[in-house]
């Protein structure tokens, strides 16, 4: 894992914690190019009343228009859902770093099948925060994953 990987993983956790403290779903994301974090974001379903503003979508929105994502890495505190995985494929983002996939997962193979490099880092901070949120807000979590 590189220095920028560590910084972006920290940013995902910080974004997730920020959302948790706002009463939202604790899922954060970061987009990097080279050694720079070009955008961060977090799930805003609750904060904005927007069901499609998952952490990854908020991060991509915050990054604004990009000519290409082929030299970018997307980081996410939790394994991406099918909406976000589809966006990753659509935008041809070549590499995704997933902080954890214990609390949610299942689309890793879909990403790999589309030629995307997937790394799972098992970050204990992200695992614990998400598990805590699910225990405290089961109904809100079910709403986010359409369960
Ligand atoms: Zn998603």
């Amino acid at each position: 894992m590189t220095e920028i990987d560590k910084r972006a993983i920290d940013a995902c956790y910080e974004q997730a914690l920020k959302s948790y403290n706002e009463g939202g779903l604790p899922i954060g994301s970061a987009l990097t190019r080279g050694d720079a974090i070009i955008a961060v974001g977090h799930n805003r379903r609750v904060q904005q009343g927007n069901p499609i503003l998952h952490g990854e979508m908020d991060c991509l929105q915050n990054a604004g228009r990009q000519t290409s994502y082929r030299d970018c890495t997307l980081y996410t505190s939790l394994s991406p859902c099918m909406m976000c995985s589809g966006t990753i494929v659509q935008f041809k983002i070549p590499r995704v770093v997933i902080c954890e996939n214990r609390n949610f997962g299942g689309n890793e193979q879909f990403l790999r099948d589309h030629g995307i490099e997937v790394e799972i880092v098992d970050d204990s901070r992200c695992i614990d925060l998400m598990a805590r949120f699910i225990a405290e807000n089961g109904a809100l979590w079910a709403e986010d994953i359409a369960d």
Side-chain angles (χ1 to χ4, degrees), residues 54-57 80-85:
H54 281 188
E56 302 91 323
M57 305 298 269
C81 74
M82 186 49 86
M83 173 177 71
C84 296
S85 296

Side-chain angles (χ1 to χ4, degrees), residues 15-143:
Q15 286 292 308
L17 189 59
K18 181 169 185 273
S19 188
Y20 179 85
N21 289 330
E22 292 169 357
L25 288 117
I27 305 163
S29 181
L31 185 70
T32 66
R33 174 177 287 121
D35 288 334
I37 295 175
I38 60 175
V40 297
H42 61 73
N43 187 299
R44 293 189 202 261
R45 164 178 290 271
V46 172
Q47 295 93 322
Q48 303 272 325
N50 185 339
I52 65 171
L53 221 41
H54 281 188
E56 302 91 323
M57 305 298 269
D58 187 52
C59 178
L60 291 166
Q61 177 166 295
N62 290 338
R65 288 173 54 188
Q66 302 290 322
T67 312
S68 168
Y69 295 89
R70 289 175 198 239
D71 52 354
C72 291
T73 298
L74 184 73
Y75 299 76
T76 181
S77 68
L78 184 65
S79 187
C81 74
M82 186 49 86
M83 173 177 71
C84 296
S85 296
T87 301
I88 290 160
V89 170
Q90 173 69 26
F91 287 8
K92 299 186 170 68
I93 298 172
R95 178 170 176 256
V96 176
V97 175
I98 298 171
C99 297
E100 69 113 337
N101 66 350
R102 296 194 194 191
N103 288 297
F104 180 80
N107 296 311
E108 295 85 357
Q109 193 57 45
F110 170 83
L111 292 167
R112 289 186 177 117
D113 286 347
H114 285 82
I116 294 161
E117 182 188 343
V118 176
E119 286 178 49
I120 297 152
V121 298
D122 244 6
D123 184 281
S124 61
R125 298 167 303 176
C126 294
I127 294 168
D128 292 349
L129 180 60
M130 196 64 214
R132 182 171 148 200
F133 175 83
I134 292 169
E136 293 170 353
N137 297 283
L140 192 51
W141 171 234
E143 180 186 315

